Amino acid sequence: MSIDKSDLTKAEKYLEKKLSRHFKTEGKEVNKEKLSKLVSELIENAEKGHKKKESPQIAGKISLDFISQVMLCTKIAYELAIYHFDEKYIKIQSQINFAWL
């Protein structure tokens, strides 16, 4: 049984309950004095160690393709322009392209 550092004050009550339930399942009855004596002996003889629980860490490789990001942004901008200006934008773009020729 392990007990959290914040629950050290409640350790005796936990142990009493656990032991009384254990003895009840075995069909034995133990008086409170004997139970408290067992609990105090357990606490005195218990290993008192500190185990620090580490938070889980995720390791991985993240890579970004900037060319794909630029293309995505360009596509979104083009679709927004089509949505906003409707067919006029396509006509304006075709006129600009013909002007460059």
Side-chain angles (χ1 to χ4, degrees):
M1 180 177 174
S2 62
I3 297 172
D4 191 45
K5 187 177 181 180
S6 62
D7 294 332
L8 286 176
T9 56
K10 301 175 186 177
E12 289 183 17
K13 289 180 184 178
Y14 289 149
L15 284 171
E16 279 185 22
K17 281 185 183 179
K18 192 151 183 105
L19 285 173
S20 66
R21 288 178 184 160
H22 174 73
F23 288 130
K24 280 184 184 179
T25 57
E26 290 186 355
K28 298 178 182 177
E29 284 194 34
V30 181
N31 60 8
K32 288 212 172 211
E33 289 177 19
K34 194 170 187 179
L35 195 61
S36 62
K37 186 178 179 182
L38 282 170
V39 168
S40 62
E41 285 177 10
L42 280 173
I43 291 175
E44 286 176 19
N45 297 328
E47 286 184 28
K48 294 178 182 168
H50 300 283
K51 292 182 182 177
K52 185 178 179 183
K53 293 187 178 181
E54 298 286 330
S55 298
Q57 296 178 353
I58 299 173
K61 183 179 178 182
I62 298 174
S63 63
L64 295 174
D65 185 9
F66 290 108
I67 295 173
S68 296
Q69 293 293 321
V70 169
M71 290 177 65
L72 176 67
C73 291
T74 305
K75 182 179 177 187
I76 292 171
Y78 179 76
E79 289 177 1
L80 285 173
I82 294 292
Y83 177 77
H84 183 68
F85 295 112
D86 204 16
E87 293 289 326
K88 296 176 190 174
Y89 184 76
I90 296 172
K91 290 178 184 176
I92 293 170
Q93 285 298 318
S94 63
Q95 289 173 358
I96 291 172
N97 287 339
F98 287 126
W100 284 97
L101 294 174

